[in-house]
Amino acid sequence: MSGKTSVETVIVVGAGIMGLSLSWALAKRGVKVRLFDQGPIPNPVSSSFDEHRINRHAYGKLNGYARLMPDAFRAWDALWADLGVRHYEETGGIYVLRHEDDWYDNTTRQLAELGVPCKELSATEVADRLPVLNPDGIFRAVEVGGSGLLFPRRILTDLVVHLTLMGVELNAFTPVQSVDPEAGKITTDKGVEEADKVIVAAGAWISRLVPELDGVAVPSRQAVLYLAPPPTLMKSWQSAPVVVVREKEAGLYCLPPRCGTRLKIGDHRFSLTGNPDEDRMATDDDIAPIWAAMQKAYRNVDDYRIIDPKACFYTVTDDETFRLVQPGARGFAISACSGHGFKLAPLIASGVVQAVLEDRPTAEVATWAAGLEEQPLPLF
């Protein structure tokens, strides 16, 4: 949708992947965008700033997001076309199930509906494909298509350059102290700024500026480990797909070293604690549960070396969905949940822009962004 709008100026607060994607979608509609961030742009303390992230169609119990993923991939394709470069590598994925639940039946049904390849692997196939795995306790292994790696640092950097070419005004090192969503104003230490509309996309800091999301979008300290595997296993890792190990006690996601990135392993359990102003070095307490889970899932873990233990802050909602709210006539806020924030950002931003520019009711877009609509919005 690219029609004219009566909204001429929009302030975006937060320059993570969502704020940058919003700025891109707005600028494509001819809107003058002013983007504010408390630090550099892109900001290395944002949860978006990372070496690689998973993109996938398989979505477990979250059927609504599985339905959104074809459009999410099309949104990335639209961004690649604008940037003139594709920061994505198709790797496929293998899910290793170490306990029985409804993930398999639900996911295979989703992928069949989407036309995405999916097949169960034999024990021999698992050993051949992933010699790094500990075979003990594997209940089932499933290979899926429609999965790969996004490269966030490259995406963010190229987006910043592209937004400058599109005329977006970038205001780095300008913390926003308060937002007036009724008047379309923000207050910074440099004064009061006003636009036709304001959108807050401030990640783990969002509830400080939008009281409606306090206690709803909860900051959650999460840890990931960058690792040097033993030299004898490096080639196996370099050819590996994305690997997700599912257990009752913990779930590990593993991103192989591709295109100049390092091996990364993290867990999906939400801490629901922490202050996003904390530093980004993972502590021993952050590392311990990941290492314990790795000891069960992989061979020879004691031969791996932790070379960069990182912490980041997601926002987490009770049902793991995006929240779009309109706390005032001229103000909006969008909060992601967990890793959805990156893989879905260009798509969700395009939907949020429809609400901001009054193409669609905010409530309708909010329902869609939460994955609750059977039919997606017509965006791509």
Side-chain angles (χ1 to χ4, degrees), residues 14-25 35 41-42 156 159-160 163:
I17 186 59
M18 183 57 72
L20 294 174
S21 295
L22 287 163
S23 300
W24 168 66
L35 178 63
I41 298 176
L156 297 174
L159 250 176
V160 168
L163 291 176

Side-chain angles (χ1 to χ4, degrees), residues 13-19 37-38 46-48 200-209 213 217-220 276 313-316 334-336:
V13 180
I17 186 59
M18 183 57 72
D37 197 272
Q38 63 182 334
S46 72
S47 62
S48 306
V200 181
W205 293 267
I206 196 166
S207 62
R208 298 181 183 180
L209 298 174
L213 291 174
V218 178
S220 184
F313 282 85
Y314 289 155
T315 50
V316 177
I334 178 68
S335 177

Side-chain angles (χ1 to χ4, degrees), residues 30-112:
V31 176
K32 177 64 177 177
V33 182
R34 305 179 66 202
L35 178 63
F36 291 80
D37 197 272
Q38 63 182 334
I41 298 176
N43 194 332
V45 303
S46 72
S47 62
S48 306
F49 197 81
D50 204 352
E51 290 186 14
H52 42 3
R53 290 287 183 92
I54 299 172
N55 208 10
R56 58 190 167 100
H57 285 80
Y59 240 105
K61 66 181 181 179
L62 297 173
N63 293 311
Y65 287 120
R67 289 192 296 269
L68 288 180
M69 288 316 298
D71 275 347
F73 274 79
R74 283 190 281 273
W76 282 111
D77 286 340
L79 181 59
W80 307 144
D82 276 12
L83 295 181
V85 64
R86 183 180 177 86
H87 294 305
Y88 173 73
E89 179 168 325
E90 183 80 18
T91 64
I94 293 179
Y95 286 78
V96 179
L97 312 182
R98 297 177 64 89
H99 72 109
E100 178 65 290
D101 61 12
D102 60 358
W103 182 94
Y104 176 77
D105 291 338
N106 206 44
T107 300
T108 53
R109 184 168 56 251
Q110 288 171 0
L111 296 182

Side-chain angles (χ1 to χ4, degrees), residues 188-200:
T188 76
D189 57 3
K190 299 175 183 178
V192 176
E193 309 285 349
E194 184 175 3
D196 294 329
K197 299 288 178 72
V198 173
I199 314 172
V200 181

Side-chain angles (χ1 to χ4, degrees), residues 44-45 205 221 275-282 309-313:
V45 303
W205 293 267
R221 182 180 174 93
N275 182 330
D277 293 330
E278 295 168 1
D279 67 44
R280 295 303 189 266
M281 179 67 71
K310 292 281 191 180
C312 69
F313 282 85

